[in-house]
Amino acid sequence: MVNTNSSFPQEELKSFKDISFKLGSNSHLVQAAGGNTSIKSDGRMLIKASGTWLINSLDKDIFVEVDLNSITKKIKNEKEDNFIDDIISKNNLHPSSETSFHALIKHKYVLHVHSTATIANAISQSSESDLKKYLDEDFIFIPYCRPGFTLTMEIKKLILPSTNIIILENHGLIVAGDDIEDTYKLLLKIHKKLDLIRNEKLASDYLEEVTNIDGYNHKNTDKYKLFSTQNEKLFSLFPKSFYPDHVIFLGPGIPTFLEEKEANEFIQNLKRKNMNLPPYLILKYKGLFENTLAIPAAKEMIDCFLEVLLRIDLSKSLKFLSSLQESELLNWDIEIYRQSIN
């Protein structure tokens, strides 16, 4: 079900919900509460609510109707806002943190995903020029900045009325259009063109010795063998953060250790300080360890990280989020709200 108070035509809503569900069901495009979709009509916009999951588009009320004209005026005046006062629907949900760029883009439909293929190709110093070689589509490339209104202001500097593809450095992909099916097909086309697995052969078999980390289970299946790699360049990337939702749901980099003793001392130190334990740890050559209390969103995000790592071009000079950028995300009230829902 979508907001029953919505004034949007039912046929349009059905198609919009169907595509939103398809996006949310594809873990290579959307993970957990990531990604968002919107539809516009007669000065109103229906957009995914903050903290909700697109995979629930067909069976839960996950969309919020907002006053598009009011939001557009705020963007024109460069007035940062959470748009709570612009809500029309009555379902007690908050608009997505990325509502402003959905409003900025004039097309009827806007689809934003965290495509693993796009992210993997948008995190190097040469990403913009490389993407121009890979894609035969016109697009604008936005250097990384914090999601939300800050990002919208950067998009505003480059966007044209005809712009329908936006690639966000260290973040993801936006595709827009006036026909929902065509827009969805274009999004899939871009993802497919960029979807090159490069590092599958860098996975290593697990060491047979038993490793015990208090409160963690060893993810010693074939799927996660990449985390036991013996490739030093790949191993050096494990504690890095490459995109916002990695920071929000996995923390600012996955703690990575050389020895089991070092990992257990780290955990005990956090416990003495009554601090939350990270959802995942990595031991060199031994692989990934999952906190027994890891939430579903974290489990989806570790799989996202794995898929990105498989696709990264290790020959490139890579860009990751700085500690300041990580802190900016973790202390952002909108992200704290989204975390609380998940």
Side-chain angles (χ1 to χ4, degrees), residues 223-269:
K223 176 178 179 178
Y224 297 103
K225 278 186 175 181
L226 194 71
F227 289 111
S228 63
T229 187
Q230 296 189 35
N231 182 281
E232 293 296 330
K233 176 71 179 288
L234 182 60
F235 179 78
S236 72
L237 302 183
F238 293 162
K240 307 298 185 185
S241 302
F242 286 100
Y243 42 93
D245 271 6
H246 182 101
V247 177
I248 298 304
F249 294 112
L250 295 179
I254 298 174
T256 305
F257 305 95
L258 301 181
E259 302 290 341
E260 176 181 339
K261 179 182 177 182
E262 187 183 5
N264 278 309
E265 288 176 351
F266 171 79
I267 291 168
Q268 294 307 315
N269 187 41

mmCIF file of all heavy atoms in Angstrom, residues 223-269:
data_model
loop_
_atom_site.group_PDB
_atom_site.id
_atom_site.type_symbol
_atom_site.label_atom_id
_atom_site.label_comp_id
_atom_site.label_asym_id
_atom_site.label_seq_id
_atom_site.Cartn_x
_atom_site.Cartn_y
_atom_site.Cartn_z
ATOM 1 N N LYS A 223 31.310 -17.395 -0.230
ATOM 2 C CA LYS A 223 30.873 -16.047 -0.593
ATOM 3 C C LYS A 223 31.820 -14.976 -0.064
ATOM 4 O O LYS A 223 32.068 -13.961 -0.749
ATOM 5 C CB LYS A 223 29.458 -15.810 -0.058
ATOM 6 C CG LYS A 223 28.922 -14.406 -0.293
ATOM 7 C CD LYS A 223 27.493 -14.279 0.223
ATOM 8 C CE LYS A 223 26.946 -12.869 0.020
ATOM 9 N NZ LYS A 223 25.551 -12.745 0.476
ATOM 10 N N TYR A 224 32.350 -15.179 1.135
ATOM 11 C CA TYR A 224 33.131 -14.134 1.798
ATOM 12 C C TYR A 224 34.645 -14.376 1.748
ATOM 13 O O TYR A 224 35.399 -13.732 2.477
ATOM 14 C CB TYR A 224 32.666 -13.986 3.244
ATOM 15 C CG TYR A 224 31.226 -13.536 3.360
ATOM 16 C CD1 TYR A 224 30.217 -14.446 3.677
ATOM 17 C CD2 TYR A 224 30.869 -12.218 3.116
ATOM 18 C CE1 TYR A 224 28.891 -14.041 3.749
ATOM 19 C CE2 TYR A 224 29.547 -11.806 3.190
ATOM 20 C CZ TYR A 224 28.564 -12.722 3.505
ATOM 21 O OH TYR A 224 27.241 -12.328 3.576
ATOM 22 N N LYS A 225 35.100 -15.249 0.853
ATOM 23 C CA LYS A 225 36.526 -15.558 0.777
ATOM 24 C C LYS A 225 37.390 -14.360 0.406
ATOM 25 O O LYS A 225 38.590 -14.346 0.697
ATOM 26 C CB LYS A 225 36.759 -16.683 -0.243
ATOM 27 C CG LYS A 225 36.512 -18.081 0.303
ATOM 28 C CD LYS A 225 36.907 -19.126 -0.733
ATOM 29 C CE LYS A 225 36.789 -20.528 -0.171
ATOM 30 N NZ LYS A 225 37.199 -21.544 -1.174
ATOM 31 N N LEU A 226 36.794 -13.370 -0.252
ATOM 32 C CA LEU A 226 37.580 -12.205 -0.638
ATOM 33 C C LEU A 226 38.193 -11.516 0.576
ATOM 34 O O LEU A 226 39.269 -10.918 0.496
ATOM 35 C CB LEU A 226 36.708 -11.210 -1.414
ATOM 36 C CG LEU A 226 37.464 -10.108 -2.165
ATOM 37 C CD1 LEU A 226 38.194 -10.687 -3.376
ATOM 38 C CD2 LEU A 226 36.516 -8.998 -2.620
ATOM 39 N N PHE A 227 37.511 -11.605 1.728
ATOM 40 C CA PHE A 227 37.992 -10.935 2.933
ATOM 41 C C PHE A 227 39.196 -11.657 3.567
ATOM 42 O O PHE A 227 39.784 -11.143 4.513
ATOM 43 C CB PHE A 227 36.865 -10.794 3.957
ATOM 44 C CG PHE A 227 35.822 -9.781 3.558
ATOM 45 C CD1 PHE A 227 34.543 -10.186 3.200
ATOM 46 C CD2 PHE A 227 36.117 -8.435 3.525
ATOM 47 C CE1 PHE A 227 33.575 -9.252 2.829
ATOM 48 C CE2 PHE A 227 35.169 -7.491 3.144
ATOM 49 C CZ PHE A 227 33.894 -7.907 2.794
ATOM 50 N N SER A 228 39.531 -12.836 3.048
ATOM 51 C CA SER A 228 40.736 -13.521 3.540
ATOM 52 C C SER A 228 41.878 -13.409 2.526
ATOM 53 O O SER A 228 42.852 -14.156 2.583
ATOM 54 C CB SER A 228 40.433 -15.003 3.819
ATOM 55 O OG SER A 228 40.067 -15.681 2.634
ATOM 56 N N THR A 229 41.755 -12.464 1.614
ATOM 57 C CA THR A 229 42.735 -12.291 0.541
ATOM 58 C C THR A 229 44.169 -12.142 1.057
ATOM 59 O O THR A 229 44.394 -11.653 2.169
ATOM 60 C CB THR A 229 42.384 -11.049 -0.313
ATOM 61 O OG1 THR A 229 43.260 -10.993 -1.433
ATOM 62 C CG2 THR A 229 42.522 -9.767 0.499
ATOM 63 N N GLN A 230 45.111 -12.526 0.216
ATOM 64 C CA GLN A 230 46.522 -12.297 0.522
ATOM 65 C C GLN A 230 47.075 -11.123 -0.290
ATOM 66 O O GLN A 230 48.275 -10.833 -0.223
ATOM 67 C CB GLN A 230 47.324 -13.571 0.240
ATOM 68 C CG GLN A 230 46.913 -14.718 1.153
ATOM 69 C CD GLN A 230 47.830 -15.914 1.036
ATOM 70 O OE1 GLN A 230 49.037 -15.776 0.835
ATOM 71 N NE2 GLN A 230 47.272 -17.104 1.174
ATOM 72 N N ASN A 231 46.200 -10.457 -1.029
ATOM 73 C CA ASN A 231 46.602 -9.290 -1.802
ATOM 74 C C ASN A 231 46.671 -8.066 -0.886
ATOM 75 O O ASN A 231 45.658 -7.662 -0.307
ATOM 76 C CB ASN A 231 45.602 -9.060 -2.933
ATOM 77 C CG ASN A 231 45.971 -7.887 -3.815
ATOM 78 O OD1 ASN A 231 45.744 -6.731 -3.474
ATOM 79 N ND2 ASN A 231 46.554 -8.176 -4.961
ATOM 80 N N GLU A 232 47.839 -7.489 -0.762
ATOM 81 C CA GLU A 232 48.043 -6.403 0.202
ATOM 82 C C GLU A 232 47.254 -5.144 -0.165
ATOM 83 O O GLU A 232 46.735 -4.453 0.712
ATOM 84 C CB GLU A 232 49.538 -6.068 0.309
ATOM 85 C CG GLU A 232 50.373 -7.172 0.935
ATOM 86 C CD GLU A 232 50.004 -7.441 2.391
ATOM 87 O OE1 GLU A 232 49.564 -6.501 3.090
ATOM 88 O OE2 GLU A 232 50.136 -8.591 2.834
ATOM 89 N N LYS A 233 47.164 -4.823 -1.456
ATOM 90 C CA LYS A 233 46.415 -3.624 -1.867
ATOM 91 C C LYS A 233 44.939 -3.768 -1.502
ATOM 92 O O LYS A 233 44.329 -2.835 -0.957
ATOM 93 C CB LYS A 233 46.572 -3.409 -3.380
ATOM 94 C CG LYS A 233 45.760 -2.242 -3.945
ATOM 95 C CD LYS A 233 46.309 -0.907 -3.519
ATOM 96 C CE LYS A 233 45.524 0.281 -4.087
ATOM 97 N NZ LYS A 233 45.725 0.506 -5.520
ATOM 98 N N LEU A 234 44.370 -4.936 -1.782
ATOM 99 C CA LEU A 234 42.965 -5.159 -1.445
ATOM 100 C C LEU A 234 42.753 -5.143 0.061
ATOM 101 O O LEU A 234 41.812 -4.514 0.562
ATOM 102 C CB LEU A 234 42.492 -6.483 -2.035
ATOM 103 C CG LEU A 234 41.023 -6.843 -1.808
ATOM 104 C CD1 LEU A 234 40.100 -5.778 -2.409
ATOM 105 C CD2 LEU A 234 40.713 -8.213 -2.409
ATOM 106 N N PHE A 235 43.640 -5.808 0.797
ATOM 107 C CA PHE A 235 43.516 -5.838 2.257
ATOM 108 C C PHE A 235 43.545 -4.425 2.845
ATOM 109 O O PHE A 235 42.826 -4.131 3.810
ATOM 110 C CB PHE A 235 44.626 -6.686 2.871
ATOM 111 C CG PHE A 235 44.597 -6.747 4.368
ATOM 112 C CD1 PHE A 235 43.694 -7.560 5.042
ATOM 113 C CD2 PHE A 235 45.467 -5.955 5.129
ATOM 114 C CE1 PHE A 235 43.649 -7.594 6.426
ATOM 115 C CE2 PHE A 235 45.429 -5.991 6.500
ATOM 116 C CZ PHE A 235 44.520 -6.812 7.159
ATOM 117 N N SER A 236 44.348 -3.550 2.252
ATOM 118 C CA SER A 236 44.472 -2.179 2.770
ATOM 119 C C SER A 236 43.177 -1.387 2.624
ATOM 120 O O SER A 236 42.999 -0.356 3.279
ATOM 121 C CB SER A 236 45.611 -1.445 2.055
ATOM 122 O OG SER A 236 45.257 -1.128 0.706
ATOM 123 N N LEU A 237 42.254 -1.859 1.780
ATOM 124 C CA LEU A 237 40.990 -1.146 1.565
ATOM 125 C C LEU A 237 39.923 -1.528 2.585
ATOM 126 O O LEU A 237 38.939 -0.801 2.741
ATOM 127 C CB LEU A 237 40.452 -1.446 0.158
ATOM 128 C CG LEU A 237 41.366 -1.100 -1.019
ATOM 129 C CD1 LEU A 237 40.647 -1.393 -2.330
ATOM 130 C CD2 LEU A 237 41.811 0.347 -0.964
ATOM 131 N N PHE A 238 40.096 -2.641 3.273
ATOM 132 C CA PHE A 238 39.047 -3.136 4.168
ATOM 133 C C PHE A 238 38.648 -2.139 5.264
ATOM 134 O O PHE A 238 37.462 -2.019 5.584
ATOM 135 C CB PHE A 238 39.452 -4.471 4.796
ATOM 136 C CG PHE A 238 39.551 -5.607 3.815
ATOM 137 C CD1 PHE A 238 40.244 -6.770 4.137
ATOM 138 C CD2 PHE A 238 38.957 -5.534 2.566
ATOM 139 C CE1 PHE A 238 40.338 -7.827 3.238
ATOM 140 C CE2 PHE A 238 39.046 -6.577 1.653
ATOM 141 C CZ PHE A 238 39.735 -7.732 2.002
ATOM 142 N N PRO A 239 39.584 -1.399 5.862
ATOM 143 C CA PRO A 239 39.173 -0.436 6.902
ATOM 144 C C PRO A 239 38.761 0.927 6.367
ATOM 145 O O PRO A 239 38.513 1.843 7.150
ATOM 146 C CB PRO A 239 40.419 -0.322 7.779
ATOM 147 C CG PRO A 239 41.553 -0.587 6.856
ATOM 148 C CD PRO A 239 41.054 -1.562 5.832
ATOM 149 N N LYS A 240 38.655 1.068 5.047
ATOM 150 C CA LYS A 240 38.274 2.345 4.457
ATOM 151 C C LYS A 240 36.760 2.436 4.269
ATOM 152 O O LYS A 240 36.061 1.435 4.182
ATOM 153 C CB LYS A 240 38.957 2.535 3.099
ATOM 154 C CG LYS A 240 40.468 2.363 3.094
ATOM 155 C CD LYS A 240 41.162 3.378 3.983
ATOM 156 C CE LYS A 240 42.684 3.254 3.843
ATOM 157 N NZ LYS A 240 43.392 4.161 4.785
ATOM 158 N N SER A 241 36.273 3.675 4.198
ATOM 159 C CA SER A 241 34.857 3.932 3.892
ATOM 160 C C SER A 241 34.806 4.629 2.539
ATOM 161 O O SER A 241 35.443 5.660 2.342
ATOM 162 C CB SER A 241 34.227 4.837 4.953
ATOM 163 O OG SER A 241 34.347 4.268 6.237
ATOM 164 N N PHE A 242 34.023 4.070 1.626
ATOM 165 C CA PHE A 242 33.980 4.614 0.279
ATOM 166 C C PHE A 242 32.681 5.342 -0.055
ATOM 167 O O PHE A 242 32.613 6.054 -1.047
ATOM 168 C CB PHE A 242 34.188 3.498 -0.748
ATOM 169 C CG PHE A 242 35.607 3.010 -0.827
ATOM 170 C CD1 PHE A 242 35.982 1.852 -0.177
ATOM 171 C CD2 PHE A 242 36.564 3.716 -1.531
ATOM 172 C CE1 PHE A 242 37.288 1.397 -0.237
ATOM 173 C CE2 PHE A 242 37.873 3.276 -1.596
ATOM 174 C CZ PHE A 242 38.242 2.100 -0.947
ATOM 175 N N TYR A 243 31.625 5.181 0.758
ATOM 176 C CA TYR A 243 30.332 5.788 0.438
ATOM 177 C C TYR A 243 29.516 5.928 1.727
ATOM 178 O O TYR A 243 29.757 5.224 2.727
ATOM 179 C CB TYR A 243 29.579 4.961 -0.611
ATOM 180 C CG TYR A 243 29.659 3.463 -0.380
ATOM 181 C CD1 TYR A 243 28.686 2.785 0.346
ATOM 182 C CD2 TYR A 243 30.734 2.730 -0.883
ATOM 183 C CE1 TYR A 243 28.771 1.428 0.568
ATOM 184 C CE2 TYR A 243 30.831 1.364 -0.660
ATOM 185 C CZ TYR A 243 29.845 0.721 0.062
ATOM 186 O OH TYR A 243 29.940 -0.633 0.291
ATOM 187 N N PRO A 244 28.546 6.844 1.757
ATOM 188 C CA PRO A 244 27.857 7.209 3.003
ATOM 189 C C PRO A 244 27.207 6.060 3.769
ATOM 190 O O PRO A 244 27.383 5.952 4.987
ATOM 191 C CB PRO A 244 26.812 8.229 2.531
ATOM 192 C CG PRO A 244 27.443 8.870 1.341
ATOM 193 C CD PRO A 244 28.175 7.753 0.644
ATOM 194 N N ASP A 245 26.429 5.206 3.098
ATOM 195 C CA ASP A 245 25.713 4.171 3.847
ATOM 196 C C ASP A 245 26.640 3.139 4.472
ATOM 197 O O ASP A 245 26.270 2.458 5.425
ATOM 198 C CB ASP A 245 24.666 3.485 2.957
ATOM 199 C CG ASP A 245 23.325 4.205 2.997
ATOM 200 O OD1 ASP A 245 23.251 5.290 3.623
ATOM 201 O OD2 ASP A 245 22.352 3.705 2.404
ATOM 202 N N HIS A 246 27.842 3.015 3.949
ATOM 203 C CA HIS A 246 28.846 2.167 4.593
ATOM 204 C C HIS A 246 29.133 2.709 5.997
ATOM 205 O O HIS A 246 29.181 1.952 6.971
ATOM 206 C CB HIS A 246 30.122 2.146 3.761
ATOM 207 C CG HIS A 246 31.200 1.258 4.307
ATOM 208 N ND1 HIS A 246 31.453 0.011 3.814
ATOM 209 C CD2 HIS A 246 32.089 1.441 5.321
ATOM 210 C CE1 HIS A 246 32.447 -0.548 4.485
ATOM 211 N NE2 HIS A 246 32.858 0.313 5.404
ATOM 212 N N VAL A 247 29.296 4.011 6.084
ATOM 213 C CA VAL A 247 29.583 4.658 7.368
ATOM 214 C C VAL A 247 28.386 4.540 8.318
ATOM 215 O O VAL A 247 28.548 4.222 9.495
ATOM 216 C CB VAL A 247 29.936 6.147 7.151
ATOM 217 C CG1 VAL A 247 30.174 6.851 8.489
ATOM 218 C CG2 VAL A 247 31.150 6.282 6.253
ATOM 219 N N ILE A 248 27.190 4.773 7.789
ATOM 220 C CA ILE A 248 25.985 4.793 8.629
ATOM 221 C C ILE A 248 25.687 3.432 9.234
ATOM 222 O O ILE A 248 25.355 3.321 10.413
ATOM 223 C CB ILE A 248 24.775 5.286 7.810
ATOM 224 C CG1 ILE A 248 25.005 6.724 7.320
ATOM 225 C CG2 ILE A 248 23.490 5.213 8.644
ATOM 226 C CD1 ILE A 248 25.316 7.719 8.421
ATOM 227 N N PHE A 249 25.818 2.367 8.449
ATOM 228 C CA PHE A 249 25.382 1.052 8.921
ATOM 229 C C PHE A 249 26.510 0.093 9.299
ATOM 230 O O PHE A 249 26.271 -0.906 9.960
ATOM 231 C CB PHE A 249 24.472 0.404 7.869
ATOM 232 C CG PHE A 249 23.172 1.148 7.694
ATOM 233 C CD1 PHE A 249 22.900 1.825 6.525
ATOM 234 C CD2 PHE A 249 22.231 1.190 8.713
ATOM 235 C CE1 PHE A 249 21.714 2.531 6.369
ATOM 236 C CE2 PHE A 249 21.053 1.888 8.571
ATOM 237 C CZ PHE A 249 20.783 2.558 7.393
ATOM 238 N N LEU A 250 27.747 0.391 8.888
ATOM 239 C CA LEU A 250 28.876 -0.453 9.272
ATOM 240 C C LEU A 250 29.866 0.271 10.169
ATOM 241 O O LEU A 250 30.749 -0.348 10.753
ATOM 242 C CB LEU A 250 29.613 -0.962 8.027
ATOM 243 C CG LEU A 250 28.822 -1.909 7.115
ATOM 244 C CD1 LEU A 250 29.675 -2.312 5.912
ATOM 245 C CD2 LEU A 250 28.344 -3.139 7.863
ATOM 246 N N GLY A 251 29.714 1.584 10.283
ATOM 247 C CA GLY A 251 30.647 2.374 11.069
ATOM 248 C C GLY A 251 31.746 2.947 10.185
ATOM 249 O O GLY A 251 31.845 2.618 8.998
ATOM 250 N N PRO A 252 32.565 3.819 10.734
ATOM 251 C CA PRO A 252 33.616 4.488 9.948
ATOM 252 C C PRO A 252 34.793 3.552 9.662
ATOM 253 O O PRO A 252 35.856 3.643 10.268
ATOM 254 C CB PRO A 252 34.026 5.650 10.851
ATOM 255 C CG PRO A 252 33.738 5.166 12.227
ATOM 256 C CD PRO A 252 32.536 4.273 12.126
ATOM 257 N N GLY A 253 34.605 2.639 8.740
ATOM 258 C CA GLY A 253 35.640 1.668 8.413
ATOM 259 C C GLY A 253 35.511 0.421 9.270
ATOM 260 O O GLY A 253 35.181 0.494 10.464
ATOM 261 N N ILE A 254 35.748 -0.742 8.680
ATOM 262 C CA ILE A 254 35.659 -1.998 9.429
ATOM 263 C C ILE A 254 36.978 -2.226 10.167
ATOM 264 O O ILE A 254 38.050 -2.221 9.535
ATOM 265 C CB ILE A 254 35.363 -3.174 8.472
ATOM 266 C CG1 ILE A 254 34.017 -2.952 7.779
ATOM 267 C CG2 ILE A 254 35.363 -4.499 9.228
ATOM 268 C CD1 ILE A 254 33.706 -3.960 6.717
ATOM 269 N N PRO A 255 36.935 -2.409 11.488
ATOM 270 C CA PRO A 255 38.177 -2.664 12.229
ATOM 271 C C PRO A 255 38.892 -3.896 11.670
ATOM 272 O O PRO A 255 38.286 -4.949 11.485
ATOM 273 C CB PRO A 255 37.686 -2.900 13.661
ATOM 274 C CG PRO A 255 36.375 -2.176 13.735
ATOM 275 C CD PRO A 255 35.760 -2.350 12.373
ATOM 276 N N THR A 256 40.161 -3.749 11.379
ATOM 277 C CA THR A 256 40.947 -4.795 10.724
ATOM 278 C C THR A 256 42.197 -5.083 11.556
ATOM 279 O O THR A 256 42.878 -4.156 12.005
ATOM 280 C CB THR A 256 41.342 -4.332 9.307
ATOM 281 O OG1 THR A 256 40.154 -3.959 8.597
ATOM 282 C CG2 THR A 256 42.037 -5.433 8.543
ATOM 283 N N PHE A 257 42.476 -6.368 11.771
ATOM 284 C CA PHE A 257 43.556 -6.757 12.688
ATOM 285 C C PHE A 257 44.467 -7.794 12.055
ATOM 286 O O PHE A 257 44.062 -8.550 11.168
ATOM 287 C CB PHE A 257 42.967 -7.329 13.983
ATOM 288 C CG PHE A 257 42.000 -6.397 14.668
ATOM 289 C CD1 PHE A 257 40.630 -6.518 14.443
ATOM 290 C CD2 PHE A 257 42.447 -5.395 15.498
ATOM 291 C CE1 PHE A 257 39.737 -5.658 15.053
ATOM 292 C CE2 PHE A 257 41.561 -4.524 16.110
ATOM 293 C CZ PHE A 257 40.191 -4.650 15.893
ATOM 294 N N LEU A 258 45.697 -7.821 12.559
ATOM 295 C CA LEU A 258 46.661 -8.812 12.091
ATOM 296 C C LEU A 258 46.582 -10.097 12.898
ATOM 297 O O LEU A 258 46.837 -11.180 12.385
ATOM 298 C CB LEU A 258 48.088 -8.240 12.170
ATOM 299 C CG LEU A 258 48.362 -6.963 11.373
ATOM 300 C CD1 LEU A 258 49.815 -6.542 11.546
ATOM 301 C CD2 LEU A 258 48.040 -7.171 9.900
ATOM 302 N N GLU A 259 46.213 -9.974 14.176
ATOM 303 C CA GLU A 259 46.205 -11.131 15.067
ATOM 304 C C GLU A 259 44.892 -11.229 15.838
ATOM 305 O O GLU A 259 44.257 -10.218 16.139
ATOM 306 C CB GLU A 259 47.361 -11.034 16.077
ATOM 307 C CG GLU A 259 48.750 -10.936 15.453
ATOM 308 C CD GLU A 259 49.177 -12.234 14.785
ATOM 309 O OE1 GLU A 259 48.581 -13.286 15.104
ATOM 310 O OE2 GLU A 259 50.118 -12.191 13.967
ATOM 311 N N GLU A 260 44.527 -12.451 16.202
ATOM 312 C CA GLU A 260 43.318 -12.715 16.988
ATOM 313 C C GLU A 260 43.387 -12.009 18.345
ATOM 314 O O GLU A 260 42.395 -11.426 18.807
ATOM 315 C CB GLU A 260 43.183 -14.220 17.174
ATOM 316 C CG GLU A 260 42.020 -14.668 18.045
ATOM 317 C CD GLU A 260 41.988 -16.173 18.200
ATOM 318 O OE1 GLU A 260 42.574 -16.884 17.367
ATOM 319 O OE2 GLU A 260 41.368 -16.638 19.175
ATOM 320 N N LYS A 261 44.551 -12.036 18.983
ATOM 321 C CA LYS A 261 44.710 -11.409 20.297
ATOM 322 C C LYS A 261 44.405 -9.918 20.221
ATOM 323 O O LYS A 261 43.728 -9.359 21.098
ATOM 324 C CB LYS A 261 46.137 -11.628 20.804
ATOM 325 C CG LYS A 261 46.403 -10.986 22.162
ATOM 326 C CD LYS A 261 47.854 -11.203 22.584
ATOM 327 C CE LYS A 261 48.142 -10.508 23.917
ATOM 328 N NZ LYS A 261 49.573 -10.667 24.319
ATOM 329 N N GLU A 262 44.860 -9.278 19.179
ATOM 330 C CA GLU A 262 44.645 -7.843 18.975
ATOM 331 C C GLU A 262 43.152 -7.531 18.856
ATOM 332 O O GLU A 262 42.654 -6.558 19.433
ATOM 333 C CB GLU A 262 45.384 -7.423 17.703
ATOM 334 C CG GLU A 262 45.412 -5.940 17.425
ATOM 335 C CD GLU A 262 46.094 -5.629 16.101
ATOM 336 O OE1 GLU A 262 46.446 -6.567 15.365
ATOM 337 O OE2 GLU A 262 46.250 -4.438 15.803
ATOM 338 N N ALA A 263 42.414 -8.371 18.140
ATOM 339 C CA ALA A 263 40.975 -8.176 17.966
ATOM 340 C C ALA A 263 40.238 -8.336 19.287
ATOM 341 O O ALA A 263 39.358 -7.535 19.628
ATOM 342 C CB ALA A 263 40.437 -9.167 16.941
ATOM 343 N N ASN A 264 40.591 -9.364 20.058
ATOM 344 C CA ASN A 264 39.915 -9.586 21.336
ATOM 345 C C ASN A 264 40.217 -8.487 22.341
ATOM 346 O O ASN A 264 39.349 -8.092 23.123
ATOM 347 C CB ASN A 264 40.312 -10.957 21.900
ATOM 348 C CG ASN A 264 39.499 -12.089 21.280
ATOM 349 O OD1 ASN A 264 38.272 -12.038 21.239
ATOM 350 N ND2 ASN A 264 40.191 -13.105 20.779
ATOM 351 N N GLU A 265 41.419 -7.953 22.323
ATOM 352 C CA GLU A 265 41.752 -6.825 23.212
ATOM 353 C C GLU A 265 40.945 -5.595 22.827
ATOM 354 O O GLU A 265 40.489 -4.841 23.702
ATOM 355 C CB GLU A 265 43.252 -6.535 23.133
ATOM 356 C CG GLU A 265 44.116 -7.580 23.812
ATOM 357 C CD GLU A 265 45.604 -7.312 23.632
ATOM 358 O OE1 GLU A 265 45.945 -6.410 22.825
ATOM 359 O OE2 GLU A 265 46.408 -8.002 24.288
ATOM 360 N N PHE A 266 40.766 -5.376 21.542
ATOM 361 C CA PHE A 266 39.962 -4.262 21.051
ATOM 362 C C PHE A 266 38.523 -4.376 21.559
ATOM 363 O O PHE A 266 37.943 -3.398 22.046
ATOM 364 C CB PHE A 266 39.996 -4.273 19.518
ATOM 365 C CG PHE A 266 39.037 -3.324 18.854
ATOM 366 C CD1 PHE A 266 39.321 -1.975 18.744
ATOM 367 C CD2 PHE A 266 37.840 -3.790 18.305
ATOM 368 C CE1 PHE A 266 38.439 -1.091 18.111
ATOM 369 C CE2 PHE A 266 36.957 -2.929 17.671
ATOM 370 C CZ PHE A 266 37.256 -1.585 17.577
ATOM 371 N N ILE A 267 37.959 -5.569 21.485
ATOM 372 C CA ILE A 267 36.573 -5.797 21.931
ATOM 373 C C ILE A 267 36.452 -5.576 23.430
ATOM 374 O O ILE A 267 35.513 -4.912 23.907
ATOM 375 C CB ILE A 267 36.127 -7.222 21.551
ATOM 376 C CG1 ILE A 267 35.974 -7.336 20.036
ATOM 377 C CG2 ILE A 267 34.799 -7.578 22.234
ATOM 378 C CD1 ILE A 267 35.823 -8.752 19.547
ATOM 379 N N GLN A 268 37.378 -6.121 24.188
ATOM 380 C CA GLN A 268 37.314 -5.958 25.642
ATOM 381 C C GLN A 268 37.437 -4.496 26.049
ATOM 382 O O GLN A 268 36.789 -4.042 26.999
ATOM 383 C CB GLN A 268 38.415 -6.803 26.310
ATOM 384 C CG GLN A 268 38.235 -8.303 26.148
ATOM 385 C CD GLN A 268 36.860 -8.777 26.588
ATOM 386 O OE1 GLN A 268 36.358 -8.366 27.651
ATOM 387 N NE2 GLN A 268 36.229 -9.617 25.772
ATOM 388 N N ASN A 269 38.258 -3.752 25.341
ATOM 389 C CA ASN A 269 38.416 -2.325 25.620
ATOM 390 C C ASN A 269 37.112 -1.569 25.376
ATOM 391 O O ASN A 269 36.725 -0.700 26.166
ATOM 392 C CB ASN A 269 39.535 -1.752 24.745
ATOM 393 C CG ASN A 269 39.879 -0.322 25.104
ATOM 394 O OD1 ASN A 269 39.948 0.041 26.277
ATOM 395 N ND2 ASN A 269 40.100 0.509 24.091
#
